Amino acid sequence: MKLFFDVNGNRVELSFWENPFQEEIKHVLVICQYKDAWFLTNHKLRGLEFPGGKVEEGESLEEAAHREVYEETGARLEELTSIAVYRVSDVKGTFVKKVFWGKIKTVNITNDYYETNGPVIVEGDILQTRLNKNYSFIMKDQVIEECVKHIQRLQNKKE
């Protein structure tokens, strides 16, 4: 378990094991790749970030991940792998989010990307570019760093 504080000073606990927390997981984050690039969405308020959001009533975590990726980017996933779970504790309480690694199969242009401006493909070192001002605060915290490094280790094992 990794413990740190996010940019807002909230306590964050990150685990690469199945859910070690008591709380129900109600949010998903999908770190997406398209070919050899990272696949993000441009949130209308926050900026560039990986797709994700709340799990809807009656929906599994995997279904929520697929839906959020499609709604925010128009993309369909060919692979979805569970990689981590984290809990954020702030003044309002706590929430738990499941992190997936998704590989994009197809991208469709849609009329509505909900709260985003649609997909953005980012090539190169996401761990460096995510620190730029046009990226969401979510991209700048240690969850993204640790999860991307975890994905890179998994990719190196496959080679």
Side-chain angles (χ1 to χ4, degrees):
M1 177 94 58
K2 295 183 182 277
L3 172 64
F4 51 91
F5 294 88
D6 67 15
V7 296
N8 297 315
N10 299 318
R11 177 186 167 102
V12 179
E13 299 162 274
L14 172 68
S15 173
F16 290 99
W17 300 97
E18 285 304 311
N19 189 12
F21 307 116
Q22 300 282 331
E23 298 90 348
E24 181 181 358
I25 301 171
K26 295 185 179 178
H27 299 82
V28 295
L29 172 68
V30 187
I31 298 177
C32 296
Q33 289 183 293
Y34 182 64
K35 300 182 181 175
D36 291 330
W38 300 99
F39 194 80
L40 289 75
T41 189
N42 186 5
H43 191 278
K44 291 177 182 176
L45 299 176
R46 295 187 298 255
L48 299 176
E49 61 188 27
F50 289 112
K54 293 180 181 174
V55 178
E56 293 180 355
E57 186 71 35
E59 191 174 49
S60 72
L61 297 171
E62 292 78 10
E63 289 168 338
H66 281 275
R67 178 185 49 76
E68 288 289 348
V69 169
Y70 185 77
E71 285 179 358
E72 296 182 2
T73 68
R76 297 283 185 199
L77 295 167
E78 67 178 337
E79 288 182 38
L80 183 67
T81 305
S82 170
I83 61 168
V85 62
Y86 68 99
R87 176 170 61 189
V88 178
S89 301
D90 62 19
V91 294
K92 296 181 224 166
T94 62
F95 67 88
V96 180
K97 191 176 285 194
K98 181 76 160 179
V99 183
F100 292 95
W101 171 27
K103 293 189 180 179
I104 302 298
K105 180 178 184 179
T106 59
V107 181
N108 304 302
I109 297 171
T110 68
N111 292 329
D112 185 12
Y113 295 104
Y114 293 79
E115 68 272 7
T116 80
N117 293 314
V120 176
I121 294 173
V122 177
E123 296 183 356
D125 185 0
I126 193 72
L127 293 177
Q128 287 301 312
T129 58
R130 72 189 174 98
L131 302 175
N132 294 341
K133 67 179 181 178
N134 55 334
Y135 282 77
S136 165
F137 72 92
I138 295 167
M139 294 293 290
K140 295 176 170 83
D141 78 24
Q142 199 171 336
V143 167
I144 297 297
E145 178 182 348
E146 295 293 339
C147 289
V148 166
K149 286 179 179 179
H150 185 76
I151 289 168
Q152 291 169 336
R153 286 190 296 273
L154 291 173
Q155 288 174 319
N156 290 338
K157 283 183 183 179
K158 288 184 178 182
E159 292 176 359

